[in-house]
Amino acid sequence: MPELAYLNGVIRPINETYVPIEDRGYQFGDAVYEFVASYNGKFFCMKEHLDRLEKSMEGLSFPKVDRNFIQNAIAELFEKAGMARAGLYIQISRGVAPRDHAWAKDIKLQIIMTIKKVDELDSKIRKQGIDIITVQDERWSNCDIKTVQILFNAMAKQKAKDQGAFDAIFISKDGIVREGTSSNFFIVKDGVIITHPLTKNILPGITRMVVMDLARNLGIKAEEKFLSKTDLFSAEEAFLTGTITEILGIKTIDGVPIGKGKPGEITQKLYRALREKAE
Ligand code: PMP
């Protein structure tokens, strides 16, 4: 089953696909993206991902792309790849032009996509939970727009790995717990799941939204509230959510065990419900 790339209408193997050097995504981070996963040959929450993609494009004043056009391109790529459990990466840049901070009015969007197999996370990690560290959030102030400017996220993830942890969560300068490097963050307190409200400081995660719905259906209360770093250490459970992360229980934060030091009951219940919904 081939890993394929789509570049402005042409589908080819990934390693035979090249983006022009003056793509603004490459030189200015002037691009938005989405990552969508399929389960058993069907994409999960595709509509929600495309809604967010359009919002991100609006956020950078990109011209609109016809939704049907994108959907057809995705369908063609997905069919050609023939993967049941695939990860689809879509990136739309403002276009290709001689390097200049401002852009010409007639610049044309450049659409790329790749499709690859999703490797399931080691079940041992999922069962035992992960160690995470906290990092001060030094990202720009429009984290609700899913741009490819994620260098600080990459550096925080690397810092976590270098310290033997699995991931990092961002804490604002005034001590508010924001989100993970590529995930949203929740705690469980008094049986209630709590996460950061939707502001410009976090990405409106699709999994975050699904998890809040699932919780309510399971009779678990879900709240959006600003959490401080000290709230973390009195939590019964904590977990990350994301398209690839799904729901991942946290064992320790900065070396301090959370709850019983392993994924808690609510985390596990929500994970099972998410897999059931996606599959
Ligand atoms: N926050 C950030 C910074 C992310 O990169 C991601 C992954 N796209 C998420 C949250 C989770 O979003 P989703 O559930 O839509 O994958």
Side-chain angles (χ1 to χ4, degrees):
M1 283 178 229
E3 290 187 337
L4 296 175
Y6 168 104
L7 172 62
N8 294 328
V10 179
I11 295 175
R12 283 217 193 106
I14 286 186
N15 57 8
E16 290 172 23
T17 305
Y18 300 93
V19 174
I21 204 161
E22 290 195 308
D23 184 306
R24 289 184 60 91
Y26 176 58
Q27 292 186 324
F28 293 99
D30 191 357
V32 297
Y33 78 103
E34 276 299 325
F35 188 86
V36 197
S38 76
Y39 293 81
N40 301 325
K42 203 168 166 291
F43 282 114
F44 184 56
C45 290
M46 178 58 88
K47 179 189 174 297
E48 290 78 3
H49 281 279
L50 293 179
D51 287 347
R52 187 172 65 187
L53 181 67
E54 285 173 4
K55 272 209 184 117
S56 297
M57 292 175 70
E58 232 178 272
L60 298 190
S61 307
F62 280 15
K64 280 196 166 61
V65 182
D66 180 50
R67 171 86 62 123
N68 281 332
F69 174 81
I70 296 269
Q71 278 171 331
N72 291 340
I74 292 170
E76 191 188 346
L77 184 64
F78 192 43
E79 202 190 307
K80 280 209 167 123
M83 292 171 191
R85 182 84 167 105
L88 170 75
Y89 177 79
I90 311 170
Q91 178 174 319
I92 303 185
S93 85
R94 194 179 306 273
V96 180
R99 189 180 182 281
D100 186 359
H101 286 58
W103 54 87
K105 273 210 171 73
D106 60 353
I107 191 166
K108 274 177 65 193
L109 295 174
Q110 169 143 273
I111 303 175
I112 64 160
M113 295 188 226
T114 61
I115 194 146
K116 296 185 183 190
K117 204 169 114 285
V118 170
D119 290 321
E120 299 287 350
L121 186 71
D122 185 346
S123 60
K124 220 168 104 191
I125 296 176
R126 210 170 267 294
K127 214 165 144 198
Q128 291 176 348
I130 55 167
D131 300 306
I132 62 167
I133 59 166
T134 58
V135 168
Q136 186 168 306
D137 196 353
E138 288 172 18
R139 297 174 300 163
W140 77 329
S141 49
N142 296 289
C143 294
D144 57 325
I145 307 175
K146 200 165 169 59
T147 77
V148 301
Q149 297 190 97
I150 46 175
L151 176 60
F152 193 74
N153 306 51
M155 294 189 64
K157 174 88 183 189
Q158 187 61 43
K159 185 175 176 187
K161 281 186 95 174
D162 290 346
Q163 294 185 11
F166 187 88
D167 211 337
I169 52 170
F170 296 122
I171 312 287
S172 73
K173 285 191 181 71
D174 46 2
I176 304 293
V177 183
R178 302 275 197 226
E179 62 179 338
T181 62
S182 59
S183 54
N184 292 106
F185 174 81
F186 284 75
I187 62 163
V188 181
K189 184 85 203 259
D190 300 325
V192 179
I193 66 165
I194 308 170
T195 194
H196 193 286
L198 291 181
T199 68
K200 289 170 76 65
N201 296 115
I202 65 159
L203 187 81
I206 308 298
T207 322
R208 174 191 179 280
M209 181 188 69
V210 171
V211 164
M212 291 179 85
D213 281 347
L214 286 173
R216 289 177 184 127
N217 291 340
L218 289 167
I220 300 163
K221 226 174 131 194
E223 273 180 15
E224 295 174 283
K225 217 163 76 177
F226 293 109
L227 294 166
S228 71
K229 208 170 156 180
T230 47
D231 290 322
L232 301 182
F233 301 109
S234 61
E236 290 137 23
E237 303 178 29
F239 58 88
L240 301 176
T241 67
T243 297
I244 283 294
T245 311
E246 298 177 317
I247 297 172
L248 191 50
I250 293 165
K251 191 164 61 167
T252 66
I253 302 179
D254 289 338
V256 180
I258 301 300
K260 294 187 179 132
K262 57 180 191 186
E265 257 172 51
I266 291 184
T267 305
Q268 291 179 57
K269 208 170 176 181
L270 287 169
Y271 174 66
R272 285 193 296 270
L274 178 72
R275 285 297 298 219
E276 222 167 83
K277 186 176 167 75
E279 286 166 5

